[in-house]
Every structure is written in structure tokens, then in C-alpha cells.
Amino acid sequence: RAVSRRLACGDVEGRLETIFGRVRAIQAKSGRFDMLLCVGNFFGSSSEAEWAEYRSGAKKAPIPTFVLGANNQDTLSYFPDVSGCELAENITYLGRRGVFSGCSGLHIAYLSGTEAQEQPAPAHSFSAKDVAELKTSLLSNPNFRGVDILLTSPWPRDVGTFANSAGEIDTKKCGSKLVSDLAASLKPRYHFAALEKAYYERLPYRNHTVLQETPQHVTRFIALADVGNTGKKKYLYAFSIVPMSCMDPAELVKQPQDVTENPYRKLRKEAAKAKAEEEPACQFFFDLNKHQGKKRPSEGKQGGDSQPKQAKKPPQPTGPCWFCLASPEVEKHLVVSIGTHCYLALAKGGLLPDHVLILPIGHYQSVVDLSSEVLEEVTKYKAALKEFFRSKGKRYVLFERNYRSQHLQLQVIPVPLDLCTSEDIKESFITQAQEQQIELLEIPEHSDITQVAQPGMPYFYVELDTGEKLFHRIRGRFPLQFGR
């Protein structure tokens, strides 16, 4: 099989001697690499003297080098042909956008420049139209499964969601939403970016919806620092890759242990929702003066005022609720801690003296219905309980039964660490479930329950403090005491 060895690097900024010297040293030590892929700023403000020697042929790059285009007005003049061209021997500008397929069979998609902030887009920027055209050129093929490599200069916005920290870089504010959209559609196996002068290797993320779609390959996002930086941050990355087209499908879709949820899912949902809201508006026109055209007024909305959306308020309970904190039915003496959106209480009929419940203060039916700020606080409570119980030599088992219940209750039960491993706990749940003809499926640990359950769907779910989760969609009857 054609294994190719590649190098990728961050912003060169005209430091050609530094990068090529480093490549020569690596090749002398580890053997030949097939190509060097450069993302970010290849040229800098003071590139002219070094560059003149390569352009004239006095010096030659030690490896076929492929670069992205300008990210600012100052370096535009280095790229004479927007559609891509050879800049010097062994140094090629890929072009504004497209797919490069070498003799190895690897598919490398690329997008030059930064996201345009104005229209028309300047020559060093890309627009939504560029991204749409690049996507269409690939997605129009019915057999398209993804690309091997994606090269962009900016980071994708939100890449750090569900993942390891990106250090000082705030991934909710940095980077481009258009690049996120491109990465979500093209499903690259490797995605390289730069411009932030930081090295960040994100945990791999999955490209399919668990239990709803057939498994697909994972994506590895790697941001590289600037060449020769004084902080000794990693700017050169070596990797071996076999083209997707040559791989055994089962091997291609193997999910590594540390795979996480897809970071761009929320962005895509928002985009789809915005599109759905735009579309119906232009399809039907009613004459509200005619009797047959009367539309029932939607509850609580003032006639057609387009007010900005408020944060979703939790629905009000239909009768007395034992768990809404404002309700007189709540046994206040059992409350342990109160946060902004959630509270912690001892279980009334606890299995153990330290059996506790995490509950939302407002009225929510299940985890799937929670708003993002409530969910964030639930996560904080889980982390605090994990730390507390571990200090007592215990691990917790958490479960939720969204069936014949009115208010979300996350039951948290501590179990001695020396008594059983997380595998033992999972096994006992699965065995117990099989005995009762209940199908408990394991959800990959970095995934999110909202992926497998829709609001209003009855379910039972277990989570260990390791992040491992088991899930059952309730379709008929379900034993209420199963979790206990």
C-alpha cells in the first residue's frame, strides 16, 4: 500500500533558511519525506533577500513544498497567478481553493487566505461563495466520503468544543466559521491551520452521529506555531498516511479510544435552523381578512413582532412538582448546595447515606431539554462530586430515567473503588438489562446524549465518572426501579 510520509508546517513568514535547514536535518536522521505542506503566512514583511536566492535558483528547497496564498495585502505580490503556479524550483503555490491529488492518490483540499469581513472580498480573503463552490465540487460526487488532508490558514471557529484545551487561544472567538463549515462537510482525516502562533493538537473527533449513522473515519486537527519561534512551540509536524481510497473500509473507520464529539455540530444546527426559518417565509401568503385564511394565533406571541429571541424559559409544571426549588413541595432540609441553575439534594429514599441528586432549579423534564447554561452547571456539579467521592475512595454511578417522571433527577450513587472497576459496573448493568430484555448500548465516551435522544423521547441512561455511558431508548414498558 502507498504509505506517504508528509511534513506540515505553520507560518514560515519568510524564514526559508530556518524551515529548510530543519527539514534537511530531519531527512538526514529519519529518511526522505514526500512533501512539505505550509499553512499560514509563507512570506513575511522582510522575505525579499532570502526569497531572491530561491527564485533565481541559487538555492533550492530540499523537498517539494506546497504553500497557501496571501493572508494580507502586503504579501499579495509574491503570488503572480491566483489559480496556482510554481513560485521557484520545488516551491508551488496551490491556488485560491481546490483539491490537489498527487501521484500517491492522496486528496488534499485547500483554501487560501482569511475570511472576508467585507464585500466584495479582497484578493487575500475567501467568501462564503468560495467555500460553497469548493464543497459543491466535491460533494456532488455520490461516492464522496471525505478528503485525506485539508489545508487552511485560519483555525476553524469552535474547534476546541468537547476537547482538550487550546491553551491561551479562545476557540469560541478565534478562527473562521466558514472554515468550520468546510471542515464539517469535507471530513478531512487531517486538518492543518496556523496564524495563531500556537501549537494545538486536538483530540480526534468523529464525523458521524452515533447510533444514527454508519461509522466514518475520524478527523485530527493540528494547528502549528510560527517557524523558528522563540518559545520553542512546535511548528513542524511529521505524519504517515495511506490514501483513503487504498484503505480497508473497516480499518479506515476504526474509532480511537480518545475520540470526541464533532465540535461543529452546534454551528451546523444553528445554520440549518436559520435556513429553515428563512424558507417558509417566502412560500405562502395569507389574506388575513378572508375567513378561510385565518391562522390560529400562536400562544404567547404578540402579533408578528420580530423581537430578538430570549433565552428559552423552562416550561411550567402542570401540577405540584416535588423538585422545582420554588415549589412548597420541596423538602428543603435535604438540599445540600444551590447554584445558579441547579441544586444538589440528598435522595429521600437513598440507596446509601451519600446518595445525592443533581436537579435543575427550574422545571426541565430531562437532560435533553436543558439549555446550555444549565447543562454547563450540571457538568460542574458532576466534576465536583467526582472529586469529592474520589477523595473518599469511591467512584460514582449516575443514572437518569426519563420515563413517567416530571422533573429531571440525576441520581448519583457512590460505589467503593476497591469493590469494582468501571468494567464491572457496566457489565452488571448490561447483564441485568439482558435478563429483562432491555437493550443497553454503550455511547462513545466523549459523545453527547442529545445526539441519540430527541426532546420528549423516553430513555434511561447511565454514566460513570470516567465518562463512559450506557443508553436505552424506552419504546414500551420499563421497570421504574431498574436503575436502583
Side-chain angles (χ1 to χ4, degrees):
R1 289 193 312 183
V3 179
S4 59
R5 300 173 77 221
R6 308 277 151 137
L7 291 166
C9 81
D11 309 271
V12 176
E13 294 184 333
R15 299 185 193 97
L16 303 173
E17 291 301 295
T18 310
I19 185 62
F20 292 142
R22 185 95 180 83
V23 169
R24 282 189 194 96
I26 286 175
Q27 295 204 116
K29 189 178 168 187
S30 312
R32 201 179 72 82
F33 281 81
D34 301 304
M35 62 165 64
L36 169 66
L37 304 166
C38 302
V39 289
N41 295 313
F42 186 69
F43 295 104
S45 48
S46 56
S47 304
E48 205 41 59
E50 273 194 51
W51 176 238
E53 295 188 281
Y54 285 88
R55 200 178 44 212
S56 67
K59 286 185 176 172
K60 181 185 162 184
I63 185 171
T65 302
F66 294 84
V67 310
L68 293 182
N71 295 301
N72 52 52
Q73 198 66 39
D74 304 347
T75 55
L76 263 177
S77 56
Y78 287 100
F79 302 96
D81 183 345
V82 290
S83 55
C85 56
E86 192 175 70
L87 300 176
E89 191 181 350
N90 249 2
I91 302 177
T92 305
Y93 162 47
L94 287 164
R96 274 180 68 91
R97 61 165 195 273
V99 181
F100 173 79
S101 302
C103 51
S104 65
L106 275 185
H107 279 78
I108 303 173
Y110 57 89
L111 179 67
S112 284
T114 52
E115 185 175 327
Q117 301 305 314
E118 73 236 41
Q119 290 302 332
H124 57 80
S125 294
F126 56 83
S127 63
K129 188 167 173 271
D130 290 310
V131 170
E133 284 174 10
L134 178 51
K135 278 164 55 175
T136 307
S137 67
L138 286 157
L139 300 177
S140 55
N141 175 352
N143 301 321
F144 178 76
R145 285 181 300 169
V147 295
D148 292 299
I149 299 170
L150 172 62
L151 306 175
T152 63
S153 286
W155 289 29
R157 175 74 55 87
D158 278 344
V159 69
T161 306
F162 305 120
N164 47 319
S165 160
E168 296 96 77
I169 308 293
D170 182 352
T171 59
K172 287 185 166 55
K173 291 182 182 151
C174 112
S176 156
K177 282 188 179 181
L178 288 177
V179 170
S180 305
D181 178 43
L182 185 66
S185 300
L186 299 195
K187 301 172 185 171
R189 290 161 65 205
Y190 283 90
H191 179 182
F192 294 99
L195 296 183
E196 300 296 333
K197 304 207 179 318
Y199 166 65
Y200 173 51
E201 187 166 351
R202 189 202 187 281
L203 288 170
Y205 64 81
R206 66 175 70 85
N207 283 299
H208 63 278
T209 305
V210 182
L211 304 182
Q212 290 179 27
E213 295 173 326
T214 51
Q216 295 181 38
H217 59 270
V218 301
T219 295
R220 290 176 162 82
F221 171 77
I222 294 135
L224 294 160
D226 47 323
V227 168
N229 66 83
T230 50
K232 293 200 162 53
K233 294 179 206 163
K234 187 166 178 170
Y235 63 80
L236 191 61
Y237 184 91
F239 64 111
S240 298
I241 185 168
V242 174
M244 202 185 284
S245 52
C246 306
M247 284 187 74
D248 168 55
E251 197 181 325
L252 177 66
V253 303
K254 266 189 186 154
Q255 304 291 300
Q257 275 284 278
D258 54 355
V259 67
T260 80
E261 198 43 76
N262 190 307
Y264 314 126
R265 214 181 70 234
K266 193 172 158 218
L267 278 177
R268 302 198 89 187
K269 267 189 183 167
E270 284 168 6
K273 196 175 163 198
K275 199 171 177 211
E277 280 171 5
E278 275 169 30
E279 279 172 359
C282 56
Q283 291 184 0
F284 300 104
F285 295 93
F286 289 93
D287 180 352
L288 295 182
N289 299 323
K290 288 186 181 171
H291 290 298
Q292 74 271 25
K294 269 199 178 154
K295 281 171 79 182
R296 217 174 61 201
S298 55
E299 290 163 37
K301 275 190 189 161
Q302 295 305 311
D305 282 358
S306 58
Q307 290 183 337
K309 269 198 176 162
Q310 299 300 315
K312 207 167 101 185
K313 279 205 177 113
Q316 295 311 302
T318 47
C321 177
W322 301 98
F323 299 105
C324 283
L325 197 55
S327 161
E329 279 80 15
V330 170
E331 310 236 4
K332 302 276 196 299
H333 67 284
L334 294 172
V335 174
V336 177
S337 152
I338 301 176
T340 314
H341 305 286
C342 302
Y343 71 101
L344 197 66
L346 287 168
K348 200 172 176 186
L351 290 167
L352 296 157
D354 43 5
H355 172 175
V356 289
L357 310 179
I358 304 173
L359 305 133
I361 290 170
H363 189 77
Y364 290 92
Q365 167 90 28
S366 73
V367 163
V368 180
D369 297 304
L370 295 180
S371 64
S372 55
E373 62 268 23
V374 185
L375 198 54
E376 202 175 308
E377 201 165 282
V378 166
T379 309
K380 284 182 182 171
Y381 265 121
K382 283 188 204 168
L385 285 170
K386 174 178 177 173
E387 200 177 320
F388 168 70
F389 286 134
R390 289 281 171 127
S391 75
K392 305 280 180 209
K394 299 173 186 180
R395 69 168 80 243
Y396 74 60
V397 181
L398 175 149
F399 65 84
E400 178 198 359
R401 185 193 79 234
N402 181 31
Y403 171 75
R404 298 205 178 164
S405 59
Q406 209 194 351
H407 188 113
L408 163 65
Q409 303 156 56
L410 294 177
Q411 309 272 348
V412 186
I413 296 113
V415 180
L417 277 168
D418 54 6
L419 199 64
C420 46
T421 65
S422 62
E423 284 308 309
D424 296 332
I425 297 170
K426 281 197 302 194
E427 205 175 301
S428 45
F429 266 102
I430 290 164
T431 309
Q432 183 79 15
Q434 282 167 345
E435 283 174 16
Q436 305 200 32
Q437 277 85 52
I438 294 166
E439 186 188 27
L440 262 185
L441 295 167
E442 184 157 4
I443 311 177
E445 75 183 85
H446 292 281
S447 69
D448 176 353
I449 189 166
T450 55
Q451 259 209 294
V452 290
Q454 307 300 321
M457 175 202 287
Y459 63 82
F460 173 82
Y461 122 97
V462 187
E463 184 179 317
L464 306 187
D465 70 1
T466 52
E468 296 162 287
K469 303 181 184 84
L470 301 170
F471 177 85
H472 168 65
R473 180 178 175 181
I474 300 172
R475 294 174 193 274
R477 293 175 65 80
F478 185 79
L480 295 182
Q481 302 304 325
F482 177 76
R484 292 172 72 88

